[in-house]
Amino acid sequence: GLAAYGKAMWFPMLAGGLCLLFSPLIIGRSAGLMWLLSPVAAAALALPAHREYTLSRADKEYIRCRAGETWRYLRDFSTEEENYLPPDNFQEQPPIGVAHRTSPTNIGLAAASAAAMMDMELIPAAEAVEYIRRLTETLARMPRCQGHYYNWYDTRTLLPLHPAFVSTVDSGNLYAGLLVA
């Protein structure tokens, strides 16, 4: 509590009080006031950063449904024709269909999604492991620039799309997704 902080910080409070009383300059008085109030600041910093929150049953069900829909997209479109890579998008109107391109971000999020679906018990562990295995085997075959993946790839040929470049954001997203998986 605040009293414990005051007891532990008696010297800064004493120095602050002396500065506040005897300093002829405003800067000295300001520093004194800050030192005098330092136990209050320390106690405030020790408070919990956030309150615990429990999701309602309806919120949990909503999340599970959206997660399942996302997984079905990844599962249905990460086909052998696409080298098991998740396409960037699927366009219904106008009916263009699957975009035969992907990015390291898409791949990392797909790997993390497989792990999340397993954790949420929406898919068996074997399915998640198989999905991630296919992704990583494909990643091993993809051309890179000094070990880094390019920003965009053709999912059918695994060749980088032009102009070929490396994105630190996409590389970080891939790393994060693989780390989660």
Side-chain angles (χ1 to χ4, degrees):
L2 184 57
Y5 282 100
K7 184 177 178 184
M9 300 175 74
W10 68 270
F11 186 75
M13 290 177 57
L14 175 65
L18 292 172
C19 285
L20 194 59
L21 289 174
F22 297 110
S23 180
L25 301 174
I26 191 71
I27 190 84
R29 290 185 190 143
S30 298
L33 182 61
M34 288 192 321
W35 281 7
L36 193 61
L37 295 176
S38 63
V40 175
L45 289 171
L47 294 174
H50 60 84
R51 294 181 186 165
E52 293 297 320
Y53 180 76
T54 304
L55 291 174
S56 70
R57 184 182 304 259
D59 288 342
K60 287 179 183 178
E61 187 56 33
Y62 177 82
I63 290 169
R64 287 179 64 82
C65 286
R66 299 303 77 79
E69 290 170 355
T70 301
W71 176 248
R72 282 188 292 281
Y73 170 86
L74 292 168
R75 183 197 61 210
D76 293 350
F77 290 114
S78 299
T79 62
E80 186 176 3
E81 178 190 358
E82 304 294 329
N83 285 291
Y84 303 107
L85 295 173
D88 185 61
N89 61 71
F90 175 83
Q91 186 169 323
E92 290 181 354
Q93 291 299 324
I96 294 173
V98 172
H100 301 289
R101 65 180 175 274
T102 197
S103 70
T105 292
N106 295 338
I107 298 166
L109 290 177
S113 294
M117 293 301 98
M118 180 188 71
D119 286 348
M120 293 173 72
E121 299 179 348
L122 292 174
I123 63 171
E127 184 178 344
V129 168
E130 178 63 17
Y131 185 85
I132 294 167
R133 182 192 63 76
R134 287 193 307 246
L135 278 178
T136 55
E137 285 179 357
T138 300
L139 280 168
R141 297 189 342 254
M142 294 167 64
R144 287 169 273 197
C145 175
Q146 299 178 6
H148 298 278
Y149 289 95
Y150 291 100
N151 197 59
W152 289 105
Y153 287 89
D154 184 307
T155 54
R156 295 164 298 179
T157 65
L158 300 183
L159 294 175
L161 298 178
H162 293 287
F165 63 96
V166 173
S167 164
T168 56
V169 171
D170 278 85
S171 294
N173 290 339
L174 172 62
Y175 172 75
L178 292 175
L179 186 64
V180 166

